[in-house]
Amino acid sequence: GPTTPEPTYSCKLHLPGEGRFLDKRNCNMYYRCFGGRVFHMPCPSDPYILWFNENEQVCDWPENVPECPQEPPTREPQPTTPEPTTPKPTTPEPTTPVSFICLERKVSRQKKL
């Protein structure tokens, strides 16, 4: 009978059949071939869309992935001043664990009563 095509991707296209390979239909995705199995993995797309760079085996800027047939996504205009690399703290760190501990103590006290 007719051979059914392998799902989405064949690692046999590559030797030794393991590694990470660009999904040319969606360059934000790549195939991870490991132990004869295929995993379809995404690259980050927030805040910027990154493409998979097969040569470097990393998610990279689209301009560094010339083998992708797609048009590079337009990057949002970057702010004139470079943003500080330190992540902005959403909530001061110590508060959450401390309040959790207080909560647990209250609960355990109530159980003992």
Side-chain angles (χ1 to χ4, degrees):
T3 52
T4 50
E6 273 196 70
T8 60
Y9 193 73
S10 170
C11 292
K12 296 186 185 82
L13 297 172
H14 305 279
L15 292 168
E18 298 207 344
R20 298 180 183 90
F21 307 103
L22 174 67
D23 179 357
K24 290 208 167 102
R25 285 171 304 178
N26 179 358
C27 297
N28 180 237
M29 304 284 291
Y30 63 94
Y31 295 103
R32 170 96 167 84
C33 295
F34 182 71
R37 294 169 67 196
V38 189
F39 303 93
H40 203 197
M41 312 285 287
C43 277
S45 53
D46 181 51
Y48 300 114
I49 291 172
L50 299 184
W51 283 357
F52 186 70
N53 184 333
E54 215 174 271
N55 298 323
E56 301 288 327
Q57 293 282 297
V58 291
C59 295
D60 205 343
W61 294 116
E63 56 262 34
N64 298 334
V65 188
E67 63 267 29
C68 178
Q70 293 172 283
E71 280 293 303
T74 50
R75 270 194 234 177
E76 298 98 277
Q78 283 178 315
T80 42
T81 50
E83 279 193 49
T85 45
T86 48
K88 295 174 212 77
T90 41
T91 47
E93 284 247 355
T95 54
T96 30
V98 172
S99 57
F100 265 118
I101 293 162
C102 294
L103 240 129
E104 279 173 26
R105 282 199 187 130
K106 275 180 197 160
V107 171
S108 58
R109 271 196 205 127
Q110 284 171 344
K111 279 180 186 165
K112 279 175 195 163
L113 291 173

